[in-house]
């Protein structure tokens, strides 16, 4: 899914219920009134083969979402030896109104996991701007026995938000990873974890925070 997928609309700030209120000195502002445009440069990885991941703006334009149809990590049984780890890198070109910058303030992930007793898994995500050394990475562990939907939320403290550089166009990268470990589970038994949802809901939602750039 390289290039060509164009997303329009005014992507608003984060959901107020998802995060604590900002420090008045943080510089966080309401989203700019002008629309921003997100263009998907590339979607690559073993967890998102071409044609299996889609990006869209939520109906009320308050966030953008990613839906997967083939994001599955598994171990044991007849699974491929390399299937225990799957990943996906989303590379976005984000055009924002002049004078503003943005950061990913929170992200909601969901899927389904079936882990045997003794097995474990992790969901990991990292966020960074092209050419920047600042990377925010968060990992969520799960342990068997487990056989249910799962959901995790990454929330970044206001002081730790990684902001897009002002006045420069830098692609934004989101890397996600699922990893399953057989551990002490019964030899030959199978465990797996997916990044999707059994009820067909959106698998991942990203919420944005905004602030104004310093006057040049």
């Amino acid at each position: 899914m390289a290039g060509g997928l164009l997303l329009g609309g005014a992507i608003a700030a984060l959901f107020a219920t998802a995060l604590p209120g900002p420090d008045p000195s943080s510089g966080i502002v309401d989203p700019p009134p002008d629309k921003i445009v997100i263009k998907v440069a590339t979607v690559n990885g073993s967890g998102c083969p071409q044609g299996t991941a889609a990006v869209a703006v939520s109906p009320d334009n308050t966030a953008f979402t990613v839906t997967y149809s083939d994001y599955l990590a598994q171990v044991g049984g007849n699974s491929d030896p390399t299937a225990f780890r799957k990943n996906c890198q989303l590379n976005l070109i984000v055009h924002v109104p002049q004078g503003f910058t943005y950061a990913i303030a929170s992200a909601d992930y969901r899927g389904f996991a079936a882990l045997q007793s003794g097995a474990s898994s992790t969901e990991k995500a990292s966020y960074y701007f092209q050419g920047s050394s600042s990377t925010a990475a968060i990992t969520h562990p799960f342990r068997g026995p487990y056989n249910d939907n799962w959901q995790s939320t990454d929330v970044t403290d206001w002081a730790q938000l990684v902001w897009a550089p002002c006045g420069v166009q830098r692609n934004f990268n989101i890397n996600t990873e699922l990893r399953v470990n057989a551990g002490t589970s019964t030899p030959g038994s199978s465990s797996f974890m997916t990044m999707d949802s059994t009820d067909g809901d959106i698998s991942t939602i990203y919420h944005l925070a905004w602030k104004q750039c310093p006057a040049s």
Side-chain angles (χ1 to χ4, degrees):
M1 189 183 300
L5 182 55
L6 191 63
L7 309 179
I11 297 185
L14 57 137
F15 290 167
T17 56
L19 293 164
D23 186 311
S25 63
S26 66
I28 307 296
V29 298
D30 290 333
D34 298 331
K35 74 174 183 178
I36 77 167
V37 176
I38 298 178
K39 188 173 183 179
V40 179
T42 57
V43 178
N44 290 315
S46 56
C48 52
Q50 186 171 356
T52 66
V55 184
V57 175
S58 59
D60 57 1
N61 288 329
T62 57
F64 70 89
T65 61
V66 184
T67 304
Y68 303 96
S69 62
D70 192 27
Y71 204 154
L72 167 68
Q74 57 185 336
V75 69
N78 296 322
S79 60
D80 188 284
T82 63
F84 74 96
R85 177 187 177 274
K86 293 295 179 70
N87 76 296
C88 184
Q89 176 168 307
L90 183 66
N91 184 281
L92 302 176
I93 303 171
V94 183
H95 297 282
V96 302
Q98 186 174 4
F100 288 89
T101 183
Y102 70 96
I104 297 293
S106 69
D108 303 319
Y109 298 89
R110 68 176 63 183
F112 186 86
L115 305 175
Q116 301 292 333
S117 178
S120 63
S121 65
T122 56
E123 175 270 316
K124 179 180 179 181
S126 60
Y127 317 90
Y128 67 95
F129 291 96
Q130 187 174 10
S132 172
S133 60
S134 298
T135 302
I138 303 175
T139 300
H140 298 275
F142 298 86
R143 295 191 177 278
Y146 190 100
N147 188 36
D148 204 349
N149 294 316
W150 62 268
Q151 180 167 339
S152 61
T153 299
D154 295 350
V155 179
T156 304
D157 292 338
W158 293 107
Q160 303 300 318
L161 289 176
V162 179
W163 296 94
C166 287
V168 181
Q169 180 63 56
R170 297 282 179 82
N171 287 12
F172 186 66
N173 292 276
I174 303 170
N175 292 334
T176 57
E177 176 187 296
L178 297 181
R179 187 184 294 260
V180 182
N181 189 332
T184 60
S185 60
T186 303
S189 63
S190 177
S191 294
F192 69 87
M193 186 178 192
T194 69
M195 182 90 79
D196 64 6
S197 181
T198 55
D199 57 11
D201 286 347
I202 291 168
S203 58
T204 307
I205 304 175
Y206 296 94
H207 311 289
L208 304 180
W210 294 92
K211 71 177 182 180
Q212 289 182 305
C213 292
S216 56

